[in-house]
Amino acid sequence: MKTILKSVLLLFLLAFSLQSCEDQDDVESPAALQVNDFIWKGLNQFYLWQADVPNLADNRFSNQEALNSFLRGYSKPEDLFQDLLNKPISKFPKGQAIDRFSWIVDDYTVLEQELQGTSKNNGVDFRLSYKPGSSTDLVGYVRYIIPNSDASKKDIKRGDLFSAINGTQLTVSNYQSLLAADSYTLNMVTYDGTNFVSNGKSVSLVKTTLDENPVFINKVITSGSHKIGYLMYNGFYANYDAQLNAAFADLKAQGITDFVLDLRYNGGGSIQTATRLASMITGQFTNKIFAKEKWNAKINQYYESEDPESLNNRFVDKMDGAAINSLNMTKVYIITTSGTASASELVINGLAPYISVIQVGETTVGKNVGSVTLYDSPTFGKANRNLNHKYAMQPLVLKIVNSADFGEYTDGLKPTYEQLERISNLGVLGDPSEPLLNVVLSKITGVTTKKTEEERGVALKGFTDVKAMNGIRNQMYLEKAPEGLLRALK
């Protein structure tokens, strides 16, 4: 292993070094410990809270054999991963967790596909909530149906309710196992104002490999002198950035006067895509800082010395060589719910120092930290991966703040105007009468509609949703670690 820098950065830039190891390179990790060795060394190098986990300390092990002895204590890589996290939600589920979002998989192909909007999916996007008066029983409601999915061919739609799978009541202890199956039958119910009652209907669903275009609705709503662009965007998947840019080209061509971005079911995704979306909404801030990254002390020290610009994400006017279609808005209306997370929150927070951001709906998740995919390779990138296994990690590696250095929103971003989604009247997405969109339109036009049923109906206590259940789809991530850092690790 060669020296990269003749400075205090030396230890950081040696990818497999341990601060106090003696002749570590002479003692390789046994084949049976390769995955565990990758997990420890990747987290020791990149993990955001590396300094807060004693077992990840640079001087924790005197040499490779001492590390091996520790790693032999874990027969399952997943258990080691969880034990090396800083108060993970798996061990601190009742509001005490610090790390709520780090992830590990045993097949990086699945991880890569999920991060780009491809998953094994039956097409029902849903939310699970507690039944009124219960702390264990759950009820689900359909938020939307993904086009070209198995569900799109079945008799199921937004607003439908279900409380059981294959005849078994959904609970906080069994929902994951029931919904993880490749095929199952939803047992549907109706809410009578007090109870959820079986209506005798059931829907059988089968999961297939499904690509979800996150540009779900793109339209213009005309109201008086206002031509209001409305975009419902459900995931920051970089593979669909061209479609996103095309949607903005359409809105721009129609000469919209106002813009509404619906992120209510968007669990996040690519930081690069979030930067591009913010640039499409604006256009007048090219090259100004949209967001800044803060890594652990070791990596920040390298960046600040060698490549400080890599810590900045700037507004852009081009995307893969093509011009970005920008709207030059000075005000944006953004719809959120308690399922709005990570890259969605980044857009809200990153735009706030530059333009007026009017948030309507519910308080967001509060994910101000980002991840990167780590592979078992000399640089932890995709090149020269260990072919003996397919494990990969998606650990939290950075905190992100806006140009004004604000990023403290772990309790979520609160709406300017609160409006809850209520099962008594979810409405039709994109329709001007849909409750959340209707509030936005009233703020734009100044025309207020009278209070309707949804403002009196039941708002269930949320438990989780399908994107949060699949932690891979509730991420804010870098496409890869910056090139300068990877080169330094070679």
Side-chain angles (χ1 to χ4, degrees), residues 60 188 232 257 351 472:
R60 173 65 177 83
M188 314 306 287
M232 185 169 196
T257 58
L351 285 174
I472 300 174

PDB file of all heavy atoms in Angstrom, residues 60 188 232 257 351 472:
ATOM      1  N   ARG A  60      -8.648   1.204  17.757  1.00  0.00           N
ATOM      2  CA  ARG A  60      -9.383   0.164  18.504  1.00  0.00           C
ATOM      3  C   ARG A  60      -8.655  -1.181  18.473  1.00  0.00           C
ATOM      4  O   ARG A  60      -8.663  -1.927  19.451  1.00  0.00           O
ATOM      5  CB  ARG A  60     -10.785   0.012  17.930  1.00  0.00           C
ATOM      6  CG  ARG A  60     -11.607  -1.147  18.501  1.00  0.00           C
ATOM      7  CD  ARG A  60     -11.914  -0.969  19.966  1.00  0.00           C
ATOM      8  NE  ARG A  60     -12.750  -2.040  20.453  1.00  0.00           N
ATOM      9  CZ  ARG A  60     -12.322  -3.240  20.851  1.00  0.00           C
ATOM     10  NH1 ARG A  60     -11.008  -3.498  20.813  1.00  0.00           N
ATOM     11  NH2 ARG A  60     -13.151  -4.163  21.286  1.00  0.00           N
ATOM     12  N   MET A 188     -60.121  -6.178   1.959  1.00  0.00           N
ATOM     13  CA  MET A 188     -60.537  -4.774   1.962  1.00  0.00           C
ATOM     14  C   MET A 188     -61.602  -4.494   3.013  1.00  0.00           C
ATOM     15  O   MET A 188     -62.391  -5.378   3.388  1.00  0.00           O
ATOM     16  CB  MET A 188     -61.045  -4.375   0.575  1.00  0.00           C
ATOM     17  CG  MET A 188     -60.154  -4.840  -0.578  1.00  0.00           C
ATOM     18  SD  MET A 188     -58.420  -4.348  -0.448  1.00  0.00           S
ATOM     19  CE  MET A 188     -58.563  -2.588  -0.826  1.00  0.00           C
ATOM     20  N   MET A 232     -46.483  16.311  -9.895  1.00  0.00           N
ATOM     21  CA  MET A 232     -46.377  15.337  -8.811  1.00  0.00           C
ATOM     22  C   MET A 232     -45.184  14.447  -9.121  1.00  0.00           C
ATOM     23  O   MET A 232     -45.138  13.761 -10.144  1.00  0.00           O
ATOM     24  CB  MET A 232     -47.634  14.489  -8.662  1.00  0.00           C
ATOM     25  CG  MET A 232     -47.549  13.575  -7.460  1.00  0.00           C
ATOM     26  SD  MET A 232     -49.102  12.778  -7.051  1.00  0.00           S
ATOM     27  CE  MET A 232     -48.715  12.237  -5.370  1.00  0.00           C
ATOM     28  N   THR A 257     -47.532  30.711 -14.835  1.00  0.00           N
ATOM     29  CA  THR A 257     -47.281  31.866 -13.971  1.00  0.00           C
ATOM     30  C   THR A 257     -46.935  31.460 -12.546  1.00  0.00           C
ATOM     31  O   THR A 257     -46.350  32.245 -11.791  1.00  0.00           O
ATOM     32  CB  THR A 257     -48.515  32.778 -13.934  1.00  0.00           C
ATOM     33  OG1 THR A 257     -49.649  32.012 -13.466  1.00  0.00           O
ATOM     34  CG2 THR A 257     -48.825  33.339 -15.320  1.00  0.00           C
ATOM     35  N   LEU A 351     -33.694  25.547  -1.450  1.00  0.00           N
ATOM     36  CA  LEU A 351     -34.298  26.684  -2.160  1.00  0.00           C
ATOM     37  C   LEU A 351     -34.611  27.859  -1.222  1.00  0.00           C
ATOM     38  O   LEU A 351     -34.662  29.017  -1.662  1.00  0.00           O
ATOM     39  CB  LEU A 351     -35.590  26.250  -2.849  1.00  0.00           C
ATOM     40  CG  LEU A 351     -35.458  25.414  -4.122  1.00  0.00           C
ATOM     41  CD1 LEU A 351     -36.831  24.953  -4.592  1.00  0.00           C
ATOM     42  CD2 LEU A 351     -34.760  26.202  -5.224  1.00  0.00           C
ATOM     43  N   ILE A 472     -34.296   1.284   1.305  1.00  0.00           N
ATOM     44  CA  ILE A 472     -33.533   1.717   0.144  1.00  0.00           C
ATOM     45  C   ILE A 472     -34.243   2.866  -0.563  1.00  0.00           C
ATOM     46  O   ILE A 472     -33.610   3.732  -1.164  1.00  0.00           O
ATOM     47  CB  ILE A 472     -33.324   0.537  -0.836  1.00  0.00           C
ATOM     48  CG1 ILE A 472     -32.565  -0.585  -0.137  1.00  0.00           C
ATOM     49  CG2 ILE A 472     -32.567   0.969  -2.080  1.00  0.00           C
ATOM     50  CD1 ILE A 472     -32.424  -1.847  -0.954  1.00  0.00           C
TER      51      ILE A 472
END
